[in-house]
């Protein structure tokens, strides 16, 4: 079922899918990010539960990203290696 918004033209309404709208909304969240995010001192000097949770979160995101790269086949460790 097509969704139409009255203030937009027909061409924009046709191009505005749910996926594109979701991507637009997520990308607009960039304005909510801090200007200078610094987590290094917190992660290195703290030994509390918050710092441990952040460390585990960062490692989990990195691991998931690495697995996705390997599974998609776009990761090649020998890309620049000359045999």
């Amino acid at each position: 079922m097509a969704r139409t918004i009255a203030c937009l033209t027909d061409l924009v309404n046709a191009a505005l899918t749910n996926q594109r709208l979701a991507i637009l909304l997520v990308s607009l969240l960039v304005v909510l990010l801090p200007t200078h995010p610094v987590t290094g001192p917190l992660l290195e000097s703290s030994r509390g539960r918050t710092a441990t949770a952040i460390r585990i979160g960062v490692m989990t995101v990195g691991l998931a990203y690495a697995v996705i790269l390997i599974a998609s086949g776009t990761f090649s460790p020998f890309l620049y290696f000359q045999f």
Side-chain angles (χ1 to χ4, degrees), residues 16-27:
L16 189 63
T17 62
N18 288 337
Q19 181 181 11
R20 289 180 179 163
L21 184 61
I23 291 171
L24 175 67
L25 292 176
V26 169
S27 63

Side-chain angles (χ1 to χ4, degrees), residues 7-83:
C7 62
L8 299 177
T9 64
D10 292 335
L11 185 62
V12 173
N13 273 326
L16 189 63
T17 62
N18 288 337
Q19 181 181 11
R20 289 180 179 163
L21 184 61
I23 291 171
L24 175 67
L25 292 176
V26 169
S27 63
L28 287 176
L29 288 176
V30 169
V31 298
L32 299 177
L33 292 174
T35 2
H36 302 289
V38 179
T39 58
L42 173 70
L43 293 177
E44 289 183 13
S45 64
S46 296
R47 298 292 175 232
R49 289 182 184 217
T50 305
T52 303
I54 292 174
R55 281 188 204 102
I56 291 172
V58 168
M59 287 187 291
T60 303
V61 168
L63 177 66
Y65 182 66
V67 167
I68 290 170
L69 281 178
I70 292 170
S72 68
T74 59
F75 176 74
S76 177
F78 301 108
L79 182 65
Y80 299 107
F81 185 72
Q82 299 283 329
F83 286 103

